[in-house]
């Protein structure tokens, strides 16, 4: 025979289950539903003997299954403050590159981007930063894995 207390507990558990399962309403916050379409620019303008590579992608909505939306067909140019232009060629979908540019360290440079839809983007002019030579390269073996480190110095104290 059940006591009145057992019946009350069973009734309360049943009500909690009913409330938890019957009152669900999907919530889609603006960050999930907003039609994000921002241009994402990744890369470095290399002044020395390395290639300059710039990757252009479009942002995607969090709820979308697609995670990669390359921006193809854009015009990408590195421009000096003295008016020299260095166009980058599209090498892959959303990837733009050039051979080593051998830029003048006394000039400043910016990135100009014109997308297929006619929008233009440009960065501010920035001075060339010369990376100091690496003095030593080393490693440490720890219980967590392997750590690499480098040491360099800049006698002109231009790199921090």
């Amino acid at each position: 025979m059940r006591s009145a207390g057992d019946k009350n507990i069973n009734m309360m558990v049943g009500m909690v289950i009913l409330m938890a399962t019957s009152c669900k309403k999907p919530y889609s916050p603006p960050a999930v539903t907003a039609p994000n379409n921002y241009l994402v620019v990744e890369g470095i303008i290399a002044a020395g003997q390395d290639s300059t590579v710039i990757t252009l992608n479009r942002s995607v909505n969090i709820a979308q299954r697609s995670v990669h939306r390359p921006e193809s067909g854009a015009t990408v140019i590195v421009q000096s403050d003295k008016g020299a232009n260095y166009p980058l060629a599209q090498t892959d979908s959303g990837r733009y590159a050039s051979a080593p540019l051998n830029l003048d360290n006394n000039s400043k440079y910016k990135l100009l981007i014109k997308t297929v839809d006619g929008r233009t983007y440009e960065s501010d002019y920035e001075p060339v930063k010369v990376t100091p030579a690496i003095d030593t390269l080393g490693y440490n073996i720890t219980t967590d894995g392997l750590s690499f480190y480098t040491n360099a110095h800049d006698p002109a104290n231009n790199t921090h």
Side-chain angles (χ1 to χ4, degrees), residues 5-160:
D6 287 340
K7 288 181 182 178
N8 287 341
I9 289 175
N10 287 340
M11 182 182 269
M12 289 178 67
V13 169
M15 298 255 316
V16 168
I17 291 172
L18 181 64
M19 286 177 21
T21 59
S22 65
C23 294
K24 287 186 179 177
K25 228 183 192 183
Y27 174 67
S28 297
V32 174
T33 57
N36 297 327
N37 192 34
Y38 302 111
L39 183 66
V40 179
V41 181
E42 297 177 77
I44 295 173
I45 300 172
Q49 295 299 314
D50 201 0
S51 299
T52 293
V53 178
I54 305 294
T55 304
L56 303 179
N57 288 294
R58 288 285 175 178
S59 62
V60 295
N61 188 291
I62 293 171
Q64 288 180 332
R65 293 180 190 256
S66 170
V67 294
H68 184 67
R69 287 185 49 212
E71 182 73 18
S72 295
T75 301
V76 180
I77 298 171
V78 174
Q79 185 179 70
S80 79
D81 58 353
K82 295 176 180 145
N85 288 325
Y86 305 90
L88 279 64
Q90 184 169 337
T91 60
D92 199 2
S93 184
R95 184 179 161 106
Y96 303 83
S98 73
L101 299 176
N102 295 318
L103 302 176
D104 177 8
N105 292 349
N106 297 315
S107 293
K108 293 182 179 182
Y109 296 89
K110 70 178 176 180
L111 192 61
L112 297 170
I113 301 168
K114 185 170 184 178
T115 59
V116 174
D117 64 3
R119 292 183 182 224
T120 302
Y121 303 87
E122 66 181 81
S123 67
D124 292 332
Y125 283 108
E126 294 292 332
V128 173
K129 295 212 178 219
V130 179
T131 305
I134 295 174
D135 294 329
T136 58
L137 175 65
Y139 66 92
N140 287 328
I141 300 173
T142 65
T143 56
D144 295 331
L146 184 63
S147 298
F148 288 96
Y149 61 89
T150 60
N151 291 314
H153 72 280
D154 179 14
N157 201 25
N158 291 326
T159 303
H160 301 281

